[in-house]
Amino acid sequence: MGKTDKRTSILNAAEKLFASQGYEGTSTRQIATEAGANMSMINYYFGSKEGVFMEIMSNRINGFSLALSSIEAEDLSQLEKLTMVVDQYARRILGNISFHKMMHRELSLTQRPEMYDKLKEAMSKNLMAIERIINEGIAREQFRPVDVRMLIATIMGTITNVATAPSKITAGSKLDIKIPADREILTERLITYLKDLITTYLTPQQ
């Protein structure tokens, strides 16, 4: 296995362990064992466990940033762009719920302020891209004037709520978000709901 593959193996192993055990509960030794690597490789590529964590988070945040840039460049209405954002964000979150929970747990803690600040700065750039899409829609009169940041909080909060507390949605049914087929049903249901919500809320009143 080449160096690039080993580096990827370390990241994949770390993501799996972070998601299941949390940041504090995962050691570099466990990461090395899971990846079939040695401790020196982790130090060489990332410097520390925090370096591994930051690399994983940066990859995820930057991946969504690239998707947002692509959506912004599309020759579409602002509503079509926003619904694409909702679709992609929901699928990213529900596609890896354990990691999403771990990420929010880490962001809620204060013992690693430097790491928190770096992640917050990167995430704010993505929020600004979504804000631009909505504000452009308002400027073009495709959307009615709204509290843009409250709308973004509503969209993201709803997605996070479904991912972290699915029983609010699945109670009384046989759906289990841990089962891939059921998770797909819930993902489609969530996306459909949010698209209907933003269309109804943003469409200018006649």
Side-chain angles (χ1 to χ4, degrees):
M1 182 179 291
K3 288 185 177 181
T4 301
D5 291 336
K6 186 59 68 177
R7 187 178 190 280
T8 301
S9 294
I10 291 170
L11 290 173
N12 290 341
E15 181 169 339
K16 176 182 175 182
L17 290 167
F18 286 147
S20 62
Q21 301 176 181
Y23 180 86
E24 293 294 349
T26 300
S27 69
T28 51
R29 188 172 300 280
Q30 288 175 312
I31 294 171
T33 299
E34 180 73 22
N38 55 55
M39 300 282 285
S40 63
M41 285 185 174
I42 293 177
N43 292 330
Y44 173 76
Y45 288 122
F46 309 104
S48 64
K49 181 174 77 170
E50 181 176 319
V52 178
F53 182 82
M54 287 300 300
E55 181 77 9
I56 293 169
M57 293 302 300
S58 294
N59 287 344
R60 284 187 164 273
I61 293 169
N62 291 337
F64 189 49
S65 179
L66 289 172
L68 286 173
S69 295
S70 177
I71 290 170
E72 280 195 276
E74 292 277 358
D75 184 20
L76 300 169
S77 72
Q78 299 307 107
L79 180 60
E80 288 171 318
K81 290 180 181 180
L82 187 57
T83 55
M84 286 178 69
V85 170
V86 167
D87 188 286
Q88 292 211 20
Y89 188 69
R91 293 186 190 283
R92 283 172 181 269
I93 299 307
L94 270 70
N96 196 337
I97 294 172
S98 295
F99 190 83
H100 182 66
K101 286 181 179 179
M102 186 275 299
M103 180 190 75
H104 273 267
R105 185 167 62 244
E106 290 304 317
L107 288 175
S108 69
L109 302 176
T110 58
Q111 62 260 43
R112 290 180 288 278
E114 184 178 348
M115 184 164 70
Y116 173 87
D117 289 343
K118 288 179 181 177
L119 292 176
K120 205 71 174 177
E121 181 181 357
M123 291 173 70
S124 69
K125 292 179 181 178
N126 287 349
L127 291 176
M128 288 172 63
I130 300 172
E131 196 170 351
R132 283 196 302 272
I133 290 172
I134 300 173
N135 279 327
E136 183 67 22
I138 294 172
R140 296 182 183 182
E141 299 185 343
Q142 294 177 10
F143 298 155
R144 71 183 185 88
V146 298
D147 187 326
V148 175
R149 294 196 175 183
M150 285 297 290
L151 175 58
I152 294 172
T154 298
I155 294 169
M156 295 190 164
T158 301
I159 293 171
T160 292
N161 209 13
V162 171
T164 58
S167 61
K168 294 178 181 178
I169 312 300
T170 60
S173 74
K174 295 182 179 180
L175 293 173
D176 184 345
I177 203 166
K178 296 177 182 178
I179 299 173
D182 287 356
R183 185 166 61 250
E184 180 61 25
I185 291 171
L186 289 168
T187 300
E188 294 297 335
R189 181 177 166 188
L190 171 62
I191 292 169
T192 298
Y193 167 78
L194 285 173
K195 287 181 177 179
D196 183 54
L197 179 73
I198 61 177
T199 299
T200 302
Y201 182 61
L202 289 172
T203 299
Q205 297 177 348
Q206 300 299 323

